[in-house]
Amino acid sequence: MVVSASAIASKAGSDVLAAGGNAVDAAIATGLALAVTYPTAGNIGGGGFMVIRFPDGRTTALDFREKAPAAATPTMFLDEKGEYSSTIHHNSHIAVGVPGTVAGFALAHEKYGSAAWRDLVEPSVRLASDGFVIPTGLANSLSGALRKLGRYPASVAAYYKNDSTPYAEGDTLVLADLGRTLERIRDNGRDGFYTGETARLIAEEMKNGGGLITEADLAAYQAAEREAVVGTYRGYDIISMPPPSSGGVAMVEMLNILEGFDVAAGGHNGARHVHLMAESMRRAFRDRAQHIGDPDFVTVPVERLTSKEYAAELRATIDSTRATKSAVTDLVADWESDETTHYSVVDKDGMAVSVTYTLEAGYGMGAVVAGAGFLMNNEMGDFNGKPGLTDSTGLIGTAANVARPGKRMLSSMSPAIVAKDGKVIAVVGSPGGRTIINTVLQVIVNLIDFEMPIQAAVDAPRFHHQWLPDRLSIEADGVSPDVLAAIEGMGHTVRMGGRQGTAHSLAVDPTTGVRTGAPDKRDRDAGAAGH
Ligand code: DON
């Protein structure tokens, strides 16, 4: 079973499973297909994380997060007057991190794949070179993205008609340059991206656009294998991503706090449920801001943050009837878009793979690498903007996450796997910047505390608190007017509306082994494919 933001890409992964490939093989094929059919976040020009649970219960985590190029410095996002520049930080060639996705997939294949590499890349070569029929969501998305992509001729040439107007649903989109880049990856593995023609084209694009990445940066990029964060919640194992993601640590910290409360008493999205969750979120996000960065550069107290003892200390500070106030120092950035993507895979043997990867903003920084046909990320925007500058507009300047050569920027991506009694129960994850951690938390709590089937757990309205700004955001119609009044009465500042994440998940019935895919309807083109 494969569940992703693109039904076409899910089918590409499911075909690999049907041909005898394992879940890692299918995850690679799905990820490469998403780079063609879901360009807002599917990528080879970005990075991400893959969490794996093997049928024998072992777990691992692959880190293919982008890295800062060798020329990066903590003050690289300041303009010539020394002022912080949001444009440089998020919206320029300087905002591009050295991509990790192809190295991550190559590492995953080398260590844990079973099929031939070229058979995993070929489906995406075909989709790009022969074209595919544009589904509703992509047509709408590309139409909306014209303003952003329209600034770059290579982006317009790739994604719009010859007269620069958007394609309609049902048109066929051919991505010829991308097809050729994928062929190089098919034939030469990671070298097809990090050296030779593709690397040359990236370096040239950087030079022309004022970016920093060189061929040497590309050749030096390495994906890393890390120990997954593993916690427990009411007898379930929770497996997720360690630093440089904050996701696994924060999620386990929140679950540990919640374990001491009867979360379900009072009903789903009732005042008690929302309040206790929000107070746990507030505390975990404070720790995230204070402590978490690239573990190759800073020491992150993972053990303490994920311990039951620490959770008990935090739980003791929660009043079940009153909101705490977040302190106004150390403000957390409020800048985050909603354009990453998560997909979930399980194979016949119970190998489970949970992948979240991203270009950071929708369509990344908007520029296609001329001649190579793929979009570049703007992930450098996840580094702190200016060392020491922490202000009310939402910038943070703490040391853990300033840019350094070769460093990975802090992430919130939280690909997760839930297991019980030695068996996989669910594969979960979501996009949504900082909201990711809370979205995944809620799907898990919906499954365990509220005993919801997976689709209901995904569909249920969600909410988010990130310590600062001190505000509880709730999806439109997420709570009743009575509950809203009760929550506000406890002292929460509430903002209702919008949508939170797209959590393409799956569940495995521990008794029958039946796999149930749960695409998130918040994503138009999403789909599950099994065989
Ligand atoms: O790594 C991160 O946490 C962010 N760059 C993810 C961005 C994101 O989720 C945007 N969209 N959904």
Side-chain angles (χ1 to χ4, degrees):
M1 170 73 65
V2 182
V3 191
S4 83
S6 157
I8 304 171
S10 298
K11 175 77 168 56
S14 162
D15 287 347
V16 165
L17 292 177
N22 67 21
V24 166
D25 296 322
I28 294 165
T30 303
L32 293 171
L34 284 166
V36 182
T37 62
Y38 193 72
T40 176
N43 70 80
I44 54 174
F49 304 125
M50 178 184 289
V51 174
I52 307 172
R53 183 183 184 280
F54 302 95
D56 65 3
R58 283 178 305 125
T59 60
T60 193
L62 300 183
D63 170 4
F64 49 99
R65 182 73 163 164
E66 299 91 330
K67 282 186 172 201
T73 67
T75 52
M76 64 187 282
F77 308 116
L78 309 186
D79 61 19
E80 59 285 355
K81 288 192 224 114
E83 304 289 331
Y84 166 71
S85 163
S86 161
T87 304
I88 298 173
H89 195 198
H90 297 292
N91 200 9
S92 74
H93 279 68
I94 287 182
V96 184
V98 181
T101 297
V102 175
F105 287 173
L107 180 64
H109 179 257
E110 180 193 317
K111 297 207 75 164
Y112 304 116
S114 68
W117 171 257
R118 56 180 304 117
D119 294 344
L120 308 181
V121 190
E122 183 63 16
S124 59
V125 171
R126 294 273 63 86
L127 285 167
S129 303
D130 302 344
F132 63 96
V133 176
I134 299 179
T136 319
L138 178 58
N140 293 343
S141 173
L142 281 172
S143 167
L146 181 55
R147 254 189 74 180
K148 176 170 186 173
L149 271 57
R151 292 177 294 160
Y152 303 102
S155 304
V156 176
Y159 288 109
Y160 298 91
K161 295 195 219 171
N162 286 343
D163 63 357
S164 302
T165 59
Y167 290 103
E169 174 184 354
D171 287 347
T172 295
L173 181 61
V174 175
L175 296 159
D177 284 345
L178 177 59
R180 281 186 285 273
T181 298
L182 288 165
E183 281 174 8
R184 290 192 289 276
I185 294 168
R186 178 195 64 195
D187 298 341
N188 304 308
R190 63 157 278 152
D191 286 351
F193 186 88
Y194 292 94
T195 63
E197 177 74 354
T198 314
R200 191 185 60 73
L201 290 166
I202 296 170
E204 197 171 282
E205 172 71 37
M206 286 292 138
K207 203 155 156 226
N208 294 338
L212 303 178
I213 296 172
T214 62
E215 288 190 57
D217 287 318
L218 290 160
Y221 184 87
Q222 294 291 340
E225 180 159 27
R226 302 193 189 275
E227 202 178 311
V229 167
V230 182
T232 60
Y233 183 62
R234 305 195 200 280
Y236 290 78
D237 301 323
I238 310 294
I239 302 140
S240 190
M241 194 66 208
S245 178
S246 54
V249 171
M251 197 164 50
V252 168
E253 182 175 330
M254 292 190 280
L255 288 169
N256 282 342
I257 297 172
L258 291 166
E259 205 170 36
F261 293 113
D262 180 356
V263 178
H268 183 263
N269 281 11
R272 177 185 162 83
H273 172 213
V274 175
H275 171 67
L276 293 175
M277 300 273 286
E279 291 302 310
S280 305
M281 293 170 185
R282 181 195 308 278
R283 285 157 178 77
F285 275 79
R286 179 196 58 208
D287 286 339
R288 173 191 187 278
Q290 254 169 30
H291 297 295
I292 307 183
D294 183 346
D296 294 342
F297 285 73
V298 295
T299 305
V300 185
V302 173
E303 231 166 85
R304 165 134 175 96
L305 294 176
T306 57
S307 72
K308 300 282 184 196
E309 296 71 28
Y310 180 58
E313 286 170 28
L314 292 178
R315 194 183 310 119
T317 68
I318 295 177
D319 178 337
S320 61
T321 62
R322 289 300 305 165
T324 317
K325 287 286 163 232
S326 295
V328 288
T329 49
D330 289 355
L331 288 176
V332 174
D334 198 18
W335 194 97
E336 214 92 46
S337 70
D338 192 33
E339 300 297 347
T340 296
T341 194
H342 173 82
Y343 59 99
S344 300
V345 184
V346 67
D347 68 17
K348 64 178 179 356
D349 299 321
M351 182 194 273
V353 177
S354 190
V355 181
T356 313
Y357 75 154
T358 187
L359 290 166
E360 164 48 16
Y363 301 95
M365 58 81 69
V368 159
V369 175
F374 63 87
L375 286 153
M376 290 182 297
N377 69 81
N378 62 337
E379 216 77 56
M380 295 291 282
D382 278 0
F383 279 119
N384 293 343
K386 180 176 179 179
L389 175 63
T390 298
D391 75 7
S392 59
T393 69
L395 295 167
I396 33 174
T398 49
N401 188 38
V402 294
R404 303 266 182 208
K407 189 174 175 183
R408 291 180 157 102
M409 54 299 283
L410 178 63
S411 174
S412 299
M413 293 188 285
S414 316
I417 298 171
V418 183
K420 186 160 196 278
D421 301 330
K423 290 183 177 164
V424 174
I425 298 290
V427 183
V428 185
S430 178
R434 234 157 285 192
T435 67
I436 291 171
I437 313 172
N438 292 333
T439 294
V440 178
L441 173 79
Q442 282 163 85
V443 175
I444 291 173
V445 167
N446 290 346
L447 280 174
I448 296 176
D449 291 271
F450 294 97
E451 300 177 356
M452 291 182 185
I454 188 72
Q455 191 70 58
V458 166
D459 292 346
R462 300 192 266 256
F463 49 88
H464 171 71
H465 196 296
Q466 61 172 47
W467 178 50
L468 287 166
D470 192 347
R471 181 177 63 212
L472 178 57
S473 305
I474 305 178
E475 279 187 319
D477 299 325
V479 295
S480 67
D482 287 356
V483 169
L484 175 60
I487 297 167
E488 287 179 330
M490 290 173 167
H492 290 283
T493 302
V494 179
R495 185 177 69 179
M496 292 203 58
R499 97 179 178 182
Q500 183 179 319
T502 48
H504 308 301
S505 304
L506 61 81
V508 181
D509 185 306
T511 316
T512 63
V514 168
R515 281 93 165 115
T516 305
D520 191 327
K521 298 190 204 48
R522 295 167 181 87
D523 233 337
R524 253 332 256 284
D525 301 338
H531 75 96

